[in-house]
């Protein structure tokens, strides 16, 4: 058993309206069950999610947070506009986005953008993955999966890893239910977060730095799964999220 | 740019005293800069970390937690004996272990063990990785890295991923300091958690289920780094860990 992770080289700088599936297919031949892993920055650029801070007018909540934290209220407003809840204000803003993803700064990216501009994440990454995936399948004639990824920090540790924020034709979590372990003992339900593991694997080639490798193919695994899947299946239900409860506890004390 | 992940097949059931480097080298030829990823269960088995619940005598704290949660006080005592702090008691015990790793049940494993026995994690996974790594280098004549892995849940999402708990000859976090992005803008410090991304990539072959693939080689990357490294470099300093502060806030309210 083995798999390969292949960097798709020489993807050009992406601009609004660019046809990502067409660009990808020019650079690499695709195979059945390939998992095409695409950095959210190029999806967001193609979808025109670029904006300028100077065009943002901060509302009252943004001004209050800015007063408490010393941060740019326009940037805070941009984050709030994409968030449904704020858990931490400083030294970083940890939020749950409208799309249900919990991350810093609502995934707004300041790097790899022409100066003075910032980038919102794709508004609906699952929908973006589906649109790109169907076009890739049409162009290549092969059934395949797509994962759109970002890089996030994590609890209890420093550093960032690649994470999945949108998916097509792959389950975000693989369930091993009722299988027996090596000794015949029936396992309780175990759930393997394969979409995030694939995102992390791809990030080993994408890297955090210059952003020059925004597309990676993972080939040789058998995770293709046709049908309705959503990354939201992997988000912990609010009433079972003790970490969010802890952060709210802290916020209420202040 | 590409890398391969290769499952090392037919590793036999491991028992106390087994020579893991020797067993691994019988099954696969190693190359310079290979990253050998080893599931902590077989390291713990070889190190004799197996124990029986019936040999554990619960102390006062374990009995109190058992009274609150309905769990087996002997299992709780086993977890406490490997922990320096408890953050959550129920529905799962989230602790920081003596080794500094924050995880459920202090990494104690109930699966893939002959019935009636459980398995503590390796006492010092960095030391285990160093010992195994030096022997693998001696047997193969090649400089290489080792990562010992477990599977853990994570904040905000369901499911588990492979994570690094001990390392040899590889940095846990790769720092991109002062590099410029594609537009010449100097990046702030970004830190990529490569050891955990590698652990997750390996887990795509190890899987959560039958545990039949406890060793994976990742080949083709350039992360070899000779010298003193420790997984502890990746653990967030306590005074900067807002999530732990939140969980303590919640615990103090109860």
């Amino acid at each position: 058993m083995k798999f390969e992770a292949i960097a798709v080289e020489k993807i050009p700088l992406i601009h609004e309206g660019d046809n990502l599936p067409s660009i990808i297919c020019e650079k690499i031949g695709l195979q059945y069950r390939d998992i095409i892993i695409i950095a959210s920055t190029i999806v967001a650029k193609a979808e025109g999610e670029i904006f300028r801070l100077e065009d943002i007018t901060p509302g009252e909540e943004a001004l209050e947070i800015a007063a408490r934290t010393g941060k740019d209220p326009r940037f805070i407003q941009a984050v709030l506009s994409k968030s449904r809840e704020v858990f931490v204000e400083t030294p970083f803003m940890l939020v749950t986005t409208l799309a249900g993803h919990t991350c810093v700064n609502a995934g707004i990216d300041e790097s790899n953008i022409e100066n003075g501009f910032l980038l919102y994440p794709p508004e609906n990454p699952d929908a973006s993955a589906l649109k790109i995936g169907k076009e890739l399948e049409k162009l290549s004639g092969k059934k395949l999966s797509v994962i759109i990824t970002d890089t996030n920090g994590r609890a209890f540790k420093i550093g960032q890893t690649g994470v999945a924020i949108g998916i097509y034709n792959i389950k975000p979590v693989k369930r091993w239910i009722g299988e027996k372990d090596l000794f015949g003992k029936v396992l309780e339900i175990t759930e393997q977060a394969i979409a995030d593991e694939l995102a992390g694997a791809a990030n080993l080639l994408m890297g955090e730095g210059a952003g020059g490798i925004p597309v990676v193919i993972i080939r040789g695994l058998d995770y293709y799964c046709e049908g309705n899947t959503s990354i939201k299946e992997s988000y912990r239900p609010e009433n079972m999220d003790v970490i969010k409860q802890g952060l709210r506890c802290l916020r209420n004390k202040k």
Side-chain angles (χ1 to χ4, degrees), chain A residues 8 11-12 14-15 17-30 36-39 42-44 46-47 127-142 144-146 148 168 214-215 217:
Chain A
V8 180
I11 300 276
I14 297 298
H15 301 96
D18 279 353
N19 184 330
L20 292 182
S22 175
I23 289 168
I24 291 169
C25 287
E26 278 168 23
K27 302 296 179 193
I28 191 162
L30 297 176
I36 291 79
I37 309 212
I38 307 172
I42 64 166
V43 177
E47 292 179 4
S128 305
L130 184 144
K131 186 168 178 235
I132 291 168
K134 285 201 178 295
E135 185 64 16
L136 284 170
E137 286 177 323
K138 192 167 139 207
L139 291 173
S140 67
K142 306 289 197 308
L144 43 83
S145 313
V146 171
I148 295 176
Y168 168 69
V215 183
I217 310 299

Side-chain angles (χ1 to χ4, degrees), chain A residues 86-99:
Chain A
V86 177
F87 289 96
V88 178
E89 287 180 6
T90 191
F92 49 79
M93 281 190 78
L94 183 71
V95 303
T96 295
T97 66
L98 299 172

Side-chain angles (χ1 to χ4, degrees), chain A residues 1 27 40 42 48 59 70 73 97 147 155 157 164 170 173 177 207 210 227 235 243 252:
Chain A
M1 259 177 26
K27 302 296 179 193
S40 63
I42 64 166
T97 66
I147 300 176
K157 298 181 193 176
I170 185 165
V173 173
I177 297 176
Y235 298 149
I243 284 181
N252 291 339

Side-chain angles (χ1 to χ4, degrees), chain A residues 84-194:
Chain A
R84 71 179 194 221
E85 188 169 355
V86 177
F87 289 96
V88 178
E89 287 180 6
T90 191
F92 49 79
M93 281 190 78
L94 183 71
V95 303
T96 295
T97 66
L98 299 172
H101 186 63
T102 304
C103 59
V104 171
N105 292 340
I108 294 173
D109 190 355
E110 287 183 274
S111 66
N112 290 321
I113 310 285
E114 287 94 323
N115 279 340
F117 291 85
L118 294 89
L119 196 62
Y120 287 124
E123 183 149 358
N124 184 341
D126 279 330
S128 305
L130 184 144
K131 186 168 178 235
I132 291 168
K134 285 201 178 295
E135 185 64 16
L136 284 170
E137 286 177 323
K138 192 167 139 207
L139 291 173
S140 67
K142 306 289 197 308
K143 290 194 177 293
L144 43 83
S145 313
V146 171
I147 300 176
I148 295 176
T149 64
D150 197 358
T151 53
N152 282 179
R154 55 268 176 78
F156 314 124
K157 298 181 193 176
I158 64 170
Q160 304 204 330
T161 64
V163 300
I165 63 167
I167 54 176
Y168 168 69
N169 277 353
I170 185 165
K171 289 192 181 302
V173 173
K174 182 174 162 70
R175 283 182 175 77
W176 304 78
I177 297 176
E179 301 217 11
K180 291 187 179 166
D181 71 14
L182 291 168
F183 295 92
K185 182 170 147 206
V186 175
L187 291 172
E188 296 178 3
I189 296 171
T190 36
E191 300 171 317
Q192 183 178 358
I194 54 172

